[in-house]
Amino acid sequence: MENPQTVPLADPRRDLARYEAEMIDVTRRVINSGSYIGGPEVDKFEKAMARATGVDAAAGLGSGTDALIFALQAAGVGRGDEVIVPSHTAGPSVAAIHALFATPVFVDVEYDTACIDAELVAAAIGPRTKAILAVHLYGHPARLDLLARLAADRAVVLIEDCAQAQGALFSGKSVGSTGKFGCFSFYPTKNLGALGDGGAVTGSQAGVDLVRKLRVYGWSTPQFAEIPYGRCSRLDELQAGYLSVRMQGLAEDVEARRKVARAYRELLAGLPIDLPIEQADCRHAYHLFVIKSDARDALRRHLGDAGVMTGLHYPFPAHVQPGLSTNTRTAGSLDVTLRLQERILSLPMFATITDNEIGRVADAVRGYFRK
Ligand SMILES: Cc1ncc(COP(=O)(O)O)c(C=O)c1O
């Protein structure tokens, strides 16, 4: 059995427990409705998602990866096109580009935020570039002002990977409302987590209507495939119902994560580690709280011995993984990506972590540097 004293990296069970009664109500309601795919729960959640993001429409999908694939596809990305993306990201950001037989072009990230370095993107754009995939990694927005301007100037499409950033703002606007499409994941540990897989694309009504055709065999009406390369990837009624329940607590949960970040920042001040920052004009949603240390591996072992779970997001950049690096191009150096990979360490971060647990994490980190 897991040591009850262990501080987990995330705890979806504890986060969900607050909503258990309402989720049981949803389950009963859906069972009794006789409608399990494409019914009122999905419709209601999609409207809430569009409202929360500040866009015309949202389409519920089977996963965040499918959200990326459909968004890229609806933006016209296909075989041989290039898509600019960081190598320092979750694998699915890059896998989605490969799924369309397009070519990922890797660009380095900023050391401070671990998001794509917007200053380097212009030089990476070539004649085959179709899109920029900006990943709001760890919950901090990428430089959407610079990226949107560049995309407009160079006639490429900007797409946002918001899987880790639900609740984050750039210049007061929700992530997922600046690019042509925003792509969200409802994986259970995400800021808005389902009880299984789920995802959504946000955007204009016309753009989302296209994604709605792609998610159901390319159909415009039942049994009539209007567009090619449609697949099947739908958010179901149960997950949509659960997500509507959790959506009501999203702002509070993101605020709770921000409070945890403030506490860590106070308790860890003065140590020889780099703490996450929040750039001017940005609201960090703290999906992850990632510190950086030269002594990362020894610190990680020390924390493990002290009963504190940690994570590496991510242990391998995309450009070194055989399954992601084939048929890619790298624009410029990836020095920051490589440096981050050796130094990053994710500390426990979730909405319901207790003050006592935060204190134990901080004591354990301080304990390492007292040695
Ligand atoms: C940045 C990023 N993009 C995309 C995804 C893919 O989402 P999903 O696991 O729902 O397919 C994830 C989730 O792991 C992610 O963190």
Side-chain angles (χ1 to χ4, degrees), residues 190-240:
K190 293 290 197 265
N191 289 8
L192 184 70
L195 265 72
D197 274 318
V201 163
T202 56
S204 67
Q205 190 63 56
V208 168
D209 283 348
L210 186 49
V211 171
R212 289 200 172 122
K213 289 174 189 161
L214 289 170
R215 77 177 171 186
V216 51
Y217 324 119
W219 287 359
S220 51
T221 59
Q223 313 298 339
F224 184 79
E226 182 192 286
I227 54 169
Y229 308 116
R231 291 189 298 121
C232 177
S233 177
R234 302 171 287 216
L235 189 69
D236 60 63
E237 284 286 281
L238 271 177
Q239 298 304 335

Side-chain angles (χ1 to χ4, degrees), residues 12-45:
R13 171 74 191 103
R14 215 192 299 173
D15 285 348
L16 275 175
R18 301 168 296 163
Y19 301 103
E20 191 168 310
E22 287 167 271
M23 289 187 169
I24 290 170
D25 286 347
V26 167
T27 311
R28 283 208 191 91
R29 189 166 72 231
V30 172
I31 288 172
N32 290 329
S33 75
S35 164
Y36 310 118
I37 296 281
E41 301 288 344
V42 170
D43 190 49
K44 180 176 159 199
F45 174 68

Side-chain angles (χ1 to χ4, degrees), residues 62-68 89-93 135-138 161-164 183-187 190 197-199 287 314:
S63 70
T65 306
D66 280 344
L68 290 167
T89 182
S93 313
V135 185
H136 306 307
L137 204 68
Y138 306 154
D161 182 341
C162 310
Q164 299 189 0
C183 307
F184 292 82
S185 163
F186 307 126
Y187 183 82
K190 293 290 197 265
D197 274 318
H287 173 57
Y314 290 92

Side-chain angles (χ1 to χ4, degrees), residues 22 28 74 92 146 175 178 186 197 214 218 246 277 309 313 352 369:
E22 287 167 271
R28 283 208 191 91
L146 300 179
V175 294
T178 298
F186 307 126
D197 274 318
L214 289 170
R246 292 208 65 184
I277 64 142
M309 280 178 68
H313 298 91
T352 54
F369 289 103

